[in-house]
C-alpha cells in the first residue's frame, strides 16, 4: 500500500512530493498523465517566480520546471505516467483507479489544476501565449502603459480588467451582452474607472498579428466590424476545475466542493475527508500562480506526512 498518492504533477504535486518524501514518507507515487511540470510549461515567459529571473531572453515555463522532477526523485518520489480516473475511500483506505491498475493509499493529495476555457474565435489558439492570455497577474506587466482588451462579463473579467487598469494605459472590456454576470459593485467600479471602456453586445471575430505576436482583434458590434489595435487580449470566459477524479459512482464528490466545483480546503489544505488534501489551482480561492501552487503543495505534503504518521503508526 502507498503511503501517499499525489494526483497531478504540476508545481503543487511536485512540491507536495518533495516535502512528503524528504520528510520521511517511503512509498509516495505522483500520478501524472503527461510529463511532470504542469500548465506553466506552456508559457513562453515567466518573470514572477521569486529568485528565478532572466531578463532577456525571458525564462520559459519549461525552463523553470525542468529541474523540479529530478530534485523530487532524488528524495524518493516515484512518477507513474497514468491518468487517474477516480479516487474513492473505503473505510480508512483510499483507492486510486487508473485505466490499467487499482492502487491503495493511506493518504491522497489532489493537485489536478484547472483549465481556462477558450472563447473559440479565429486566431485565439494561434496567438495564445503571444498576445492572447488567460492570466492578468502573469502577463499584465508585459503591457505596461499599453492598450489591452479583456473578453468576458463575469466576475473574473471585471476584476481582472480593474487589475489591468492599474498597469495599462487603457482597457477595452468586450462582452457579448449588455448585462453582466459579475457582482453589481464590481461592475460599478469598472464603469467608474476612467481607463476602462466598455464594448458591449460585441463578439470577437478574429485575432490577427504576425510572427512577432498579436496586433489586434476584429470585433463585431451591431452588424459592424471594428478593428481594435491592441497587442494584448485577455480572455476570461470561465474555467474548468479538474475535479473529475473526485466524482463518485453516484455523481457526488468524495469531499466538499463549492458551487463552481473548486475543492474546499482549510489553511492546512485538508479537505472535508480525513487523509485527503487538495493543493494548487484545483482548490477554492486559488491565486492560480506557480509560487502559490508550490506553497500549497508544501503545506499539503507536510499535512499528509503528519496524517500518515499519526494514523498508521506501523
Ligand atoms: P497544473 O500546473 O495545472 O498541474 C496539474 C497537472 O495535473 C497537469 O500536469 C495535468 O496533466 C495533471 N493531471 C490533471 N488531471 C489528472 C489526472 N486525472 N491524472 C493524472 N494527472 C492529471 N503562473 C505564474 O505564477 N506566473 C506566470 O507567469 C504564469 N503564466 C502562465 C501562463 C500560461 C500560458 C498558463 C496556462 C498558466 C500560467 N500560470 C502562471 C499559472 C500557473 O501555471 C498555474 O497556476 C500553476 O501551474 C498551477 O499549478 P498546479 O500544480 O495547481 O496545476
Ligand atoms: P463566468 O461567471 O462563467 O463568466 C464567464 C463570462 O464569459 C460570461 O460573461 C459569459 O458571457 C462570457 N463568455 C462565456 N463564453 C464566451 C464566449 N465563447 N465568447 C465570449 N464570451 C463568453 O466565469 P468567471 O468570471 O470566471 O467566474 C466563474 C465563477 O467564479 C462565477 O460563479 C463567479 O461569480 C466566481 N468568481 C467570483 C469572484 C468573486 O466573488 N470575487 C471572482 C472571480 C470569480 P454571458 O454572460 O453572456 O454568458
Amino acid at each position: 500500500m502507498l503511503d501517499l498518492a499525489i494526483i497531478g504533477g504540476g508545481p503543487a504535486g511536485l512540491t507536495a512530493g518533495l516535502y512528503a518524501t524528504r520528510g520521511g514518507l517511503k512509498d509516495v507515487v505522483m500520478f501524472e498523465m503527461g510529463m511532470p511540470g504542469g500548465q506553466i510549461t506552456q508559457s513562453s515567459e515567466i518573470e514572477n517566480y521569486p529568485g528565478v529571473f532572466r531578463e532577456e531572453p525571458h525564462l520559459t515555463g519549461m525552463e523553470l520546471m525542468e529541474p523540479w522532477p529530478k530534485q523530487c526523485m532524488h528524495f524518493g518520489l516515484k512518477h507513474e505516467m497514468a491518468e487517474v480516473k477516480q479516487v474513492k475511500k473505503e473505510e480508512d483506505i483510499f483507492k486510486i483507479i487508473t485505466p490499467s491498475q487499482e492502487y491503495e493509499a493511506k493518504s491522497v493529495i489532489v493537485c489536478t489544476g484547472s483549465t481556462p476555457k477558450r472563447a473559440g474565435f479565429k486566431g485565439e489558439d494561434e496567438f495564445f501565449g503571444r498576445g492572447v492570455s488567460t492570466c492578468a497577474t502573469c502577463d499584465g506587466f508585459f503591457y505596461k502603459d499599453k492598450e489591452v482588451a479583456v473578453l468576458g462579463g463575469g466576475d473574473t473579467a471585471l476584476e481582472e480588467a480593474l487589475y489591468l487598469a492599474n498597469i495599462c494605459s487603457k482597457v477595452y472590456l468586450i462582452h457579448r451582452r449588455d448585462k453582466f454576470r459579475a457582482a453589481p459593485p464590481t461592475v460599478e467600479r469598472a464603469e467608474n474607472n476612467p481607463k476602462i471602456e466598455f464594448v458591449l453586445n460585441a463578439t470577437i471575430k478574429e485575432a490577427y498579428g504576425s510572427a512577432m505576436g498579436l496586433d489586434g482583434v476584429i470585433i463585431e458590434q451591431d452588424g459592424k466590424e471594428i478593428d481594435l489595435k491592441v497587442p494584448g487580449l485577455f480572455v476570461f470566459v470561465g474555467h474548468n476545475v479538474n475535479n473529475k477524479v473526485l466524482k463518485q459512482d453516484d455523481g457526488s464528490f468524495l469531499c466538499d466542493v463549492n458551487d463552481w466545483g473548486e475543492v474546499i480546503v482549510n489553511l492546512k489544505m485538508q479537505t472535508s475527508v480525513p487523509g485527503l488534501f487538495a493543493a494548487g489551482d484545483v482548490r477554492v480561492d486559488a491565486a492560480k500562480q506557480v509560487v502559490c501552487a508550490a506553497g500549497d503543495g508544501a503545506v499539503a505534503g507536510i499535512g499528509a506526512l503528519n496524517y500518515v504518521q499519526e494514523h498508521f503508526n506501523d
Side-chain angles (χ1 to χ4, degrees):
M1 189 188 327
L2 303 177
D3 284 330
L4 169 63
I6 297 167
I7 324 293
L14 285 161
T15 311
L18 174 65
Y19 274 74
T21 50
R22 196 169 174 274
L25 285 189
K26 292 283 172 253
D27 293 313
V28 184
V29 171
M30 180 183 75
F31 293 86
E32 166 55 60
M33 58 190 177
M35 291 308 289
Q39 53 176 294
I40 191 62
T41 57
Q42 299 161 26
S43 175
S44 57
E45 40 196 32
I46 173 157
E47 61 174 20
N48 58 4
Y49 193 83
V52 191
F53 175 66
R54 192 175 67 212
E55 212 159 351
E56 283 298 337
H58 286 292
L59 190 78
T60 66
M62 190 68 90
E63 285 174 310
L64 175 75
M65 296 312 296
E66 200 263 335
W68 293 37
K70 194 177 170 201
Q71 183 182 6
C72 300
M73 307 304 165
H74 174 78
F75 293 103
L77 180 69
K78 298 177 203 88
H79 172 205
E80 188 66 42
M81 198 184 266
E83 181 180 359
V84 172
K85 292 291 183 193
Q86 196 181 37
V87 178
K88 291 182 181 186
K89 193 172 187 192
E90 289 172 10
E91 297 181 356
D92 249 8
I93 305 301
F94 291 94
K95 308 265 181 200
I96 317 300
I97 298 154
T98 73
S100 61
Q101 218 176 319
E102 195 172 305
Y103 299 78
E104 286 188 338
K106 295 172 188 169
S107 63
V108 172
I109 307 178
V110 177
C111 306
T112 43
S114 70
T115 315
K117 286 183 189 163
R118 301 278 168 104
F121 53 83
K122 192 175 164 204
E124 185 179 23
D125 290 342
E126 184 186 344
F127 291 102
F128 191 79
R130 300 192 301 124
V132 176
S133 169
T134 51
C135 180
T137 319
C138 313
D139 300 330
F141 191 77
F142 299 125
Y143 306 102
K144 189 168 170 20
D145 299 328
K146 292 181 182 159
E147 296 195 350
V148 295
V150 163
L151 178 67
D155 279 307
T156 308
L158 275 283
E159 287 181 7
E160 298 308 291
L162 285 159
Y163 173 88
L164 288 164
N166 291 327
I167 303 169
C168 305
S169 57
K170 182 159 188 167
V171 180
Y172 295 95
L173 186 94
I174 304 163
H175 179 37
R176 62 187 179 185
R177 297 187 294 144
D178 59 2
K179 300 272 183 300
F180 293 91
R181 284 177 197 273
T186 313
V187 178
E188 200 180 317
R189 275 171 58 219
E191 281 170 343
N192 291 335
N193 189 308
K195 283 197 188 168
I196 300 179
E197 181 175 326
F198 285 71
V199 185
L200 301 180
N201 299 312
T203 53
I204 295 182
K205 189 180 168 204
E206 181 180 351
Y208 66 89
S210 68
M212 300 295 287
L214 185 77
D215 288 328
V217 288
I218 306 290
I219 296 168
E220 280 184 336
Q221 189 187 39
D222 300 330
K224 292 194 202 103
E225 284 192 2
I226 305 167
D227 182 357
L228 197 62
K229 294 193 188 327
V230 283
L233 168 66
F234 291 84
V235 177
F236 300 116
V237 296
H239 61 267
N240 296 316
V241 182
N242 301 331
N243 58 19
K244 264 196 321 207
V245 296
L246 293 168
K247 269 261 171 88
Q248 304 302 287
D249 297 337
D250 64 0
S252 66
F253 285 94
L254 177 58
C255 61
D256 291 348
V257 301
N258 69 10
D259 289 348
W260 310 300
E262 297 159 338
V263 181
I264 297 172
V265 291
N266 62 18
L267 287 175
K268 292 182 174 176
M269 303 301 140
Q270 291 165 325
T271 69
S272 56
V273 171
L276 179 68
F277 300 77
D281 283 14
V282 73
R283 74 151 166 101
V284 67
D285 285 336
K288 298 195 173 62
Q289 293 291 288
V290 174
V291 67
C292 304
D296 282 4
V299 173
I302 293 166
L305 174 70
N306 292 337
Y307 174 83
V308 172
Q309 285 173 349
E310 280 165 22
H311 289 79
F312 300 84
N313 45 1
D314 45 13

